[in-house]
Amino acid sequence: MKAVINVYAPWTTSPVVNDRERRFAHARITKAQDLLNRLPDRHPSDGPRPPR
């Protein structure tokens, strides 16, 4: 999700990206950020996640 945000963020302000693609990028970023916000806070020292 962080990769999606990093890849599409420049599209939202790029003059070479058309309006349709800019809106698409914005929607992708919004969705990815929403999903990241739903994840519990984790730290590397917390260990592996339990299976679901």
Side-chain angles (χ1 to χ4, degrees):
M1 289 175 271
K2 288 182 181 181
V4 168
I5 293 168
N6 290 337
V7 168
Y8 286 106
W11 289 34
T12 62
T13 58
S14 174
V16 298
V17 175
N18 65 40
D19 287 338
R20 180 175 172 244
E21 294 296 327
R22 204 174 290 127
R23 287 189 303 271
F24 171 79
H26 182 71
R28 285 276 171 117
I29 291 167
T30 301
K31 181 66 174 178
Q33 189 62 59
D34 180 54
L35 291 171
L36 277 175
N37 291 341
R38 292 171 187 245
L39 292 175
D41 288 338
R42 298 202 21 94
H43 302 283
S45 61
D46 290 346
R49 278 194 174 156
R52 291 185 177 215

